Amino acid sequence: MKERLGSDFPAFLASYEVPPQRGLRVNTLKISAEEFCRRAPFPLGGRVPWAEDGFYPEEEKPGADPYHFAGLYYLQEPSAMAVGELSADCSKMRVLDLCAAPGGKTTQLASRMKGEGVLIANEVNYARAKILSQNVERMGIANCAVISAAPDSLAALFPFYFDLVLVDAPCSGEGMFKKEPNAIPEWSEENVLMCAARQREILDCAAEMVSAGGHIVYSTCTFAEEEDEWQVEDFLKRHREFALVKEEKLYPHLVRGEGHFCAVLKKKEGETRRTRPFPIVRNAQAERAFHAFGEDFFLEPLKGTLHTLADGRMYLVPAGMPNLAGVSILRLGVELGEWDGKIFKPAHALAMAFGTGAKRKLSLTRAESERYLRGETLQAELAEGWCVVCVEEFPLGLGKCVGGTVKNHLPKGLRKVK
Ligand code: SAM
C-alpha cells in the first residue's frame, strides 16, 4: 500500500485508528428515506454521499430496533452501497446477483427495481443462502427468487439471458480488515492469487449469462490490483465483446467508509435469448382455499400467479420468472402459506410482503412491539381470525385473534432473544 499510495500512505494508515463506519440503507419498498428521517429512532448521522438512501447511524445496536425487524432498513457498510448505485436503472430488468449472501446488494437492487422485473439472488453456500433468504423475506421483496447453485451450472442454464449480472466476488477482503479483523490472519499473497483465479472463473460464467447490451457489475472489498483493476483488464482481453463503462475504488482515507472496488462492464454485442417460463403447478382445491382465506384477510385480492408444491406450500410467482429446473430453490417470489388438504395457513412472508393490505391489523407502539418480538401473547379487541401485527403501520408478522387474545405466530427463529 505504501508503494501504491505514495504520499497518501500516512493518511491511509491513520484511517485505521478510526473505528469502522456503520451504515444503514432505508428500504424504499417500505418507507421513503424522508419519512424514515422523520421517524428515525436514533440519530442518523448524515447521508452517505454516494448512496441516495444511505446514512451513518449513531447507534450501538441498530439491528435490535423494531423498525429493523419490520424491514425498514438494511445495515450495510457505506462503501458497499456504491455498488448498487453504480448499477444502471434496473427496474423491469432480468437481474442476477451471482454471489448474493447475506443480501446487502440484493436488497439494494430490489429497492431500485421497485417490484418490477425479476431478480434472481444466488448464493453457492447453502447455509449462507438461508440467511440471504431471510433478509429477502424481512425486506418484503416480492419479485425475487433465492437459489443456491455454482456459477458454472447457472451459466449452462441461462446463456445470454440477463440484462444485469452483479458479481460481488469472494475476495481477500483487504478493505474490510477494520470491520472484520478475522480476515487479517487469512491474508497471504497466495490467497490473493487464489481469489483472483476464482474471480476469473466466476466472471467468465457471468459473461456467458449477459445478453447483448447488458451489463456486468463487478465488485470486491479489497485493494489488491490482481483482484481489481488487473482482473478487469484481463477480463476485457479475454472478452472483446465487453467494454469498460466505469471503474471506481474507494479508500478509507478519502471517504467515510471502508475499502471497495467496483467496475461496470457493458456487453457491446452478442445474442439475447429467452428461456422457458417457470413451470407453474396449479392445484384447484388449494387455490380455492387460498381465495377463501384472501377474501376474509385482504382488503383487495392479490394479483399474480399461484404455484402450489406437492406438499401444499403455495407461492405467488412474479411475472417473467424463468424456469429454474435443476437448481436448488430456497424462495420463489412470496411464500403465501400452506394448504393441508383442509385449511390454508398463511406464512410469515405473506405478512412481510403484503401485510399492509390486510383488513385486520394490530398497530403497536414501538415499546409494545418488543413484547410481540419476544414471542409473547397479546390482548386486543380485534375481530376473530388471522391478523397482521405491526409496529405503527409496518408489519412485523402474523397473529391469530381468539376472544380478545392474539396468539403470537412470529417464527421462533426470528424472535428477539433478550
Ligand atoms: N453480495 C453480498 C452482499 O452484498 O451482502 C456479499 C457477497 S460476499 C462478498 C461473496 C459471496 O460469494 C460469499 O457469500 C461467498 O459464499 C460466495 N462465494 C464463495 N465462493 C464462491 C464461488 N466459487 N462462486 C460463487 N460465489 C462464491
Side-chain angles (χ1 to χ4, degrees):
M1 292 310 292
K2 197 171 184 177
E3 271 173 33
R4 198 178 300 157
L5 294 174
S7 60
D8 262 15
F9 183 68
F12 172 77
L13 205 56
S15 75
Y16 284 81
E17 302 302 321
V18 182
Q21 293 286 339
R22 281 196 194 89
L24 174 157
R25 187 174 38 74
V26 177
N27 178 14
T28 52
L29 295 175
K30 299 210 176 202
I31 188 170
S32 69
E34 287 61 38
E35 183 57 25
F36 185 75
C37 285
R38 275 192 283 278
R39 300 195 192 200
F42 38 74
L44 285 178
R47 282 185 184 251
V48 176
W50 52 89
E52 227 180 317
D53 308 311
F55 296 87
Y56 296 99
E58 291 167 6
E59 163 62 33
E60 276 299 306
K61 290 186 176 164
D65 193 274
Y67 284 167
H68 185 253
F69 283 80
L72 298 197
Y73 56 85
Y74 188 96
L75 298 170
Q76 184 177 26
E77 196 285 307
S79 295
M81 297 178 194
V83 179
E85 295 293 315
L86 278 183
S87 312
D89 173 17
C90 47
S91 68
K92 302 200 177 118
M93 284 191 184
R94 293 175 298 269
V95 180
L96 170 65
D97 187 353
L98 192 51
C99 314
K105 282 139 199 148
T106 291
T107 55
Q108 189 176 13
L109 288 170
S111 283
R112 306 197 68 175
M113 292 173 80
K114 303 185 183 82
E116 300 203 55
V118 172
L119 174 58
I120 308 289
N122 177 64
E123 167 55 46
V124 68
N125 176 323
Y126 195 83
R128 287 176 62 80
K130 282 199 214 162
I131 298 167
L132 166 67
S133 182
Q134 276 182 3
N135 281 326
V136 167
E137 177 176 85
R138 181 170 61 83
M139 304 299 268
I141 300 166
N143 61 335
C144 176
V146 178
I147 60 172
S148 182
D152 57 347
S153 60
L154 284 184
L157 289 172
F158 294 106
F160 308 104
Y161 180 70
F162 291 101
D163 302 307
L164 174 65
V165 178
L166 173 61
V167 179
D168 187 30
C171 69
S172 57
E174 292 172 7
M176 292 295 150
F177 283 177
K178 211 165 25 165
K179 194 167 163 254
E180 282 162 30
N182 300 344
I184 300 173
E186 280 171 30
W187 186 92
S188 67
E189 285 180 31
E190 295 73 45
N191 189 43
V192 167
L193 297 180
M194 197 272 283
C195 287
R198 186 165 56 184
Q199 290 150 358
R200 180 186 161 110
E201 284 172 19
I202 300 174
L203 274 170
D204 284 346
C205 294
E208 287 181 45
M209 289 188 268
V210 179
S211 67
H215 292 83
I216 291 178
V217 173
Y218 173 69
S219 58
T220 74
C221 56
T222 197
F223 302 117
E225 281 135 336
E226 292 88 340
E227 303 176 59
D228 294 351
E229 296 87 350
W230 299 348
Q231 181 71 264
V232 170
E233 264 175 48
D234 195 44
F235 175 85
L236 290 169
K237 279 188 200 138
R238 291 197 308 284
H239 294 277
R240 300 281 176 192
E241 72 281 20
F242 278 87
L244 181 64
V245 178
K246 220 185 275 179
E247 205 172 60
E248 224 174 79
K249 199 148 183 165
L250 301 179
Y251 286 101
H253 61 293
L254 299 178
V255 299
R256 250 181 106 187
E258 306 308 307
H260 230 85
F261 171 79
C262 182
V264 182
L265 302 152
K266 180 173 174 143
K267 199 173 202 175
K268 295 176 288 182
E269 58 205 39
E271 293 178 45
T272 298
R273 277 195 219 158
R274 295 292 168 258
T275 172
R276 282 176 299 133
F278 188 87
I280 295 292
V281 177
R282 300 201 55 176
N283 179 323
Q285 277 181 300
E287 288 182 21
R288 266 200 298 280
F290 172 70
H291 289 308
F293 162 84
E295 258 176 47
D296 171 59
F297 187 79
F298 287 115
L299 295 163
E300 306 259 337
L302 290 185
K303 290 194 191 90
T305 309
L306 298 177
H307 170 74
T308 309
L309 299 184
D311 64 8
R313 270 177 302 151
M314 192 180 277
Y315 293 83
L316 194 75
V317 181
M321 180 62 70
N323 191 352
L324 297 167
V327 294
S328 168
I329 306 174
L330 287 89
R331 180 172 298 275
L332 179 68
V334 178
E335 185 183 354
L336 297 175
E338 200 168 342
W339 179 67
D340 67 359
K342 288 192 190 113
I343 52 162
F344 177 84
K345 184 177 176 223
H348 177 68
L350 171 142
M352 298 311 283
F354 305 124
T356 47
K359 285 183 191 165
R360 285 181 296 277
K361 281 182 288 204
L362 175 59
S363 168
L364 304 176
T365 62
R366 290 170 44 76
E368 288 166 344
S369 66
E370 296 285 348
R371 292 186 49 212
Y372 176 73
L373 291 171
R374 282 196 301 268
E376 292 177 26
T377 300
L378 307 167
Q379 305 302 318
E381 289 312 315
L382 270 186
E384 308 250 310
W386 288 103
C387 65
V388 174
V389 181
C390 304
V391 50
E392 297 156 1
E393 69 267 42
F394 306 108
L396 289 167
L398 291 164
K400 197 166 185 189
C401 189
V402 182
T405 297
V406 180
K407 197 172 164 220
N408 197 316
H409 281 266
L410 184 64
K412 292 211 166 61
L414 301 181
R415 292 180 185 176
K416 247 182 164 175
V417 272
K418 292 196 274 182

